[in-house]
Amino acid sequence: MDTILEIINNEYWIFFEIAIVLLATKIFGLLLKKLGLPQVLGALLAGVVIGLFNLLLSKINPGLYIVDGENSVIGILASIGVNLIMFSAGMETNISEIKKNGVASIVITILGVVVPMIVGFAISWILPDRLFNQDISIIKQRFFFGIILTATSVGITVAVLKELNVLHGKVGASIVTAAILDDIIGIVILAVFTANTESFSIGKAFLQLFSDTPNSFFVTMLNVLLFFAAALGMGALIHLIFKKMSEHFPHTRRLSIFSLAVCFLYAAFAEALFGVAAITGSFMAGMMIANMKESHYVERRIDMSAYMLFSPMFFANIGISLDYNQIGKMFGSSNVVFILLFCLAFVVFGMASKFVGCGLGAKLCKYEWQESCKVGIGMMVRGEVCLIVANTGKAQGLISEEYYPAIILLIIVSSIATPLLLKIMYRKFPHTEIAEIAQGMEKFEQRHTITDGDAPLASVEQLQQQEAASQPIETAAVDTPVQTENPSAQADNKDHNS
């Protein structure tokens, strides 16, 4: 046993842990894909299985484990992963789509955010106050359940709509645009709720000029406003630099490196200067580079980096780092009835709240009731954004491990129910679509329709195949410095050598 512990404690054992995570997430992802479920869920379940194995090994000896979720290296890789995911999400934001679909998508999004937030807050009252973190406002913790429910992941919906050949119709365009707005509104709300008012921030330093103990609410709001103002101001300069670089050095690695630097700078400044969650900074950085000539090229490169290592580490680490002893104690206590009721309500009402909110928004915008139902169903599905929001809240004590089963169940059930219900609706009412072809959706469609709605973890294999098919010379230039007549490939190869 001492020999085993000595091997595990070797500094190079971390490579074995990384290998285990990568293999497990891929195997579980493929298994879930066979079942028609998002691969990102497979990565999460892989982490859960590893965490349970850790629990069993710890019963033999407290020093035994397969992957140490508390290892700082694992934590750093996971942190990079979540920021890359949010950066890619920001790069998907298509402002022209928001303008084009206008009022209808805005109304759908607002009600699709407000109703789930109210419902999440309401069903949290199933849980007695004693089950919450007593060091943080219990009302704030209850509201956080509503914030988790506001997130939408419509990748599966987009895949189904494309399969039915209605992605660019009235309903499809509304769902895609509402999902974009949903991300933006959700990230603003998350920034407000998770803002750090204890540590140094520019907003706090400013208010301390007038009071030694400034109100935490005013500190939060000022920090959020200052952050978004600074992000947009710097974004204008970054946008100009990126545009110039795209013109002079198209399809070169320096564009991706510049973009990564912007992502991490925004993440760092968000936390360090404004007390705003780092993922908010990453998302805003993505938005600053989105919708430009070379942004799609950069997004594919970023996705490849995330897919190969960082995203699997993030999703697996959620499952690995859960406190299974605490979960077991909670489910074995007298509080188990409250928790089971909450899990059931979280799944049922979590899906129903999106359906009602988004469907009602569509109906208010004079959609036919069949179209309203389709919009509501299409927005029900939850995915990686739910996990990211929950994980951010967990880091700040706003949610405990005991409630993760409810979130995982919501993702599973909504991922199964949404495509089934959409297909039933389109079979029953096939002629309610109006052919309103939406321009500029190709980027969103390409990313999601081939990934079953997942984050980069499930997307890049086919992106690589597509890129190899469409740009064979450029791909060759990436791997080996070959002679070519393709200007883009020459530029890429030149950048590689420099």
Side-chain angles (χ1 to χ4, degrees):
M1 183 63 69
D2 291 339
T3 303
I4 295 175
L5 291 175
E6 185 177 350
I7 293 173
I8 290 176
N9 291 324
N10 187 292
E11 61 179 307
Y12 294 103
W13 186 253
I14 185 65
F15 296 121
F16 174 81
E17 296 178 64
I18 293 173
I20 290 296
V21 169
L22 294 178
L23 289 171
T25 53
K26 190 60 184 176
I27 291 169
F28 274 83
L30 291 174
L31 289 175
L32 268 289
K33 184 180 180 181
K34 291 289 185 183
L35 298 174
L37 293 173
Q39 289 196 58
V40 66
L41 185 58
L44 176 63
L45 292 179
V48 170
V49 171
I50 293 173
L52 291 174
F53 267 109
N54 285 344
L55 180 63
L56 291 174
L57 290 174
S58 69
K59 301 299 181 183
I60 300 173
N61 187 299
L64 289 177
Y65 55 83
I66 297 177
V67 178
D68 184 7
E70 297 181 0
N71 188 300
S72 60
V73 176
I74 299 291
I76 290 170
L77 292 175
S79 180
I80 293 173
V82 67
N83 280 282
L84 289 180
I85 292 169
M86 295 305 292
F87 180 61
S88 289
M91 290 188 71
E92 291 172 8
T93 303
N94 195 325
I95 302 300
S96 63
E97 278 302 306
I98 297 173
K99 293 177 181 177
K100 187 178 300 176
N101 290 285
V103 176
S105 293
I106 293 174
V107 173
I108 291 169
T109 303
I110 291 174
L111 287 178
V113 168
V114 172
V115 174
M117 182 175 290
I118 294 173
V119 169
F121 176 73
I123 62 177
S124 74
W125 290 92
I126 294 173
L127 302 169
D129 285 355
R130 67 176 182 274
L131 298 183
F132 289 88
N133 185 344
Q134 302 300 310
D135 297 328
I136 301 176
S137 167
I138 294 176
I139 294 295
K140 185 177 181 179
Q141 293 177 70
R142 292 188 185 279
F143 261 117
F144 195 75
F145 284 113
I147 295 174
I148 294 173
L149 288 182
T150 62
T152 300
S153 181
V154 298
I156 291 177
T157 300
V158 170
V160 174
L161 293 175
K162 180 170 181 170
E163 179 185 334
L164 297 170
N165 200 28
V166 292
L167 177 61
H168 297 299
K170 184 178 182 181
V171 169
S174 297
I175 288 174
V176 171
T177 308
I180 294 170
L181 284 169
D182 194 290
D183 281 345
I184 296 173
I185 294 175
I187 208 71
V188 172
I189 296 173
L190 182 66
V192 172
F193 265 76
T194 60
N196 182 0
T197 59
E198 300 299 324
S199 303
F200 167 81
S201 64
I202 292 177
K204 183 177 181 179
F206 176 77
L207 291 178
Q208 281 180 334
L209 296 175
F210 308 97
S211 171
D212 292 334
T213 56
N215 183 280
S216 60
F217 174 78
F218 291 119
V219 171
T220 298
M221 295 308 297
L222 182 58
N223 276 330
V224 171
L225 290 173
L226 288 173
F227 166 73
F228 282 105
L232 293 172
M234 287 295 296
L237 177 61
I238 290 168
H239 192 93
L240 179 62
I241 294 173
F242 189 86
K243 185 177 179 181
K244 293 294 183 183
M245 289 179 65
S246 298
E247 292 173 354
H248 291 89
F249 310 105
H251 278 54
T252 53
R253 288 176 182 78
R254 67 191 69 180
L255 294 173
S256 302
I257 293 171
F258 171 78
S259 302
L260 269 179
V262 170
C263 168
F264 294 136
L265 284 172
Y266 264 62
F269 291 154
E271 285 272 8
L273 300 182
F274 302 98
V276 174
I279 59 172
T280 308
S282 301
F283 184 85
M284 288 298 296
M287 286 187 64
M288 296 304 101
I289 299 174
N291 305 314
M292 286 196 286
K293 183 180 178 181
E294 294 294 315
S295 60
H296 186 37
Y297 170 85
V298 170
E299 185 184 352
R300 287 183 296 178
R301 292 296 185 268
I302 300 298
D303 282 354
M304 289 178 189
S305 301
Y307 167 78
M308 293 299 293
L309 176 62
F310 301 109
S311 295
M313 298 304 298
F314 166 68
F315 289 114
N317 193 55
I318 292 175
I320 295 169
S321 61
L322 291 177
D323 188 343
Y324 292 97
N325 280 316
Q326 184 64 29
I327 293 174
K329 289 177 183 177
M330 183 64 74
F331 277 91
S333 70
S334 58
N335 298 317
V336 66
V337 175
F338 297 113
I339 296 177
L340 290 177
L341 283 174
F342 173 77
C343 286
L344 178 63
F346 194 79
V347 173
V348 174
F349 290 102
M351 293 173 61
S353 62
K354 272 289 182 183
F355 173 78
V356 172
C358 296
L360 180 60
K363 190 62 181 173
L364 289 175
C365 294
K366 303 188 185 307
Y367 281 48
E368 296 291 335
W369 73 266
Q370 301 100 321
E371 294 171 338
S372 300
C373 287
K374 290 173 184 176
V375 170
I377 291 170
M379 294 291 287
M380 286 195 313
V381 68
R382 306 311 207 283
E384 67 279 357
V385 180
C386 255
L387 295 173
I388 291 170
V389 173
N391 209 49
T392 303
K394 176 192 166 188
Q396 299 198 12
L398 293 171
I399 184 174
S400 179
E401 289 96 340
E402 290 85 352
Y403 309 117
Y404 268 74
I407 299 169
I408 295 171
L409 280 173
L410 175 62
I411 294 171
I412 293 173
V413 175
S414 65
S415 296
I416 295 172
T418 297
L420 290 176
L421 292 174
L422 266 182
K423 288 179 180 180
I424 290 172
M425 281 297 296
Y426 272 100
R427 272 200 301 267
K428 192 171 181 64
F429 305 102
H431 302 301
T432 58
E433 282 291 297
I434 300 175
E436 297 176 358
I437 301 299
Q439 300 295 323
M441 291 174 62
E442 290 81 5
K443 178 180 172 183
F444 188 96
E445 176 186 336
Q446 181 187 38
R447 175 179 169 81
H448 288 282
T449 56
I450 63 174
T451 68
D452 296 326
D454 295 310
L457 182 63
S459 65
V460 176
E461 286 180 336
Q462 293 195 23
L463 281 175
Q464 289 173 314
Q465 293 171 6
Q466 183 180 30
E467 184 178 3
S470 62
Q471 299 177 12
I473 299 177
E474 182 199 329
T475 305
V478 171
D479 295 329
T480 57
V482 299
Q483 296 297 321
T484 175
E485 296 298 321
N486 188 319
S488 295
Q490 287 180 335
D492 204 4
N493 190 45
K494 180 180 178 182
D495 188 58
H496 173 68
N497 293 330
S498 63

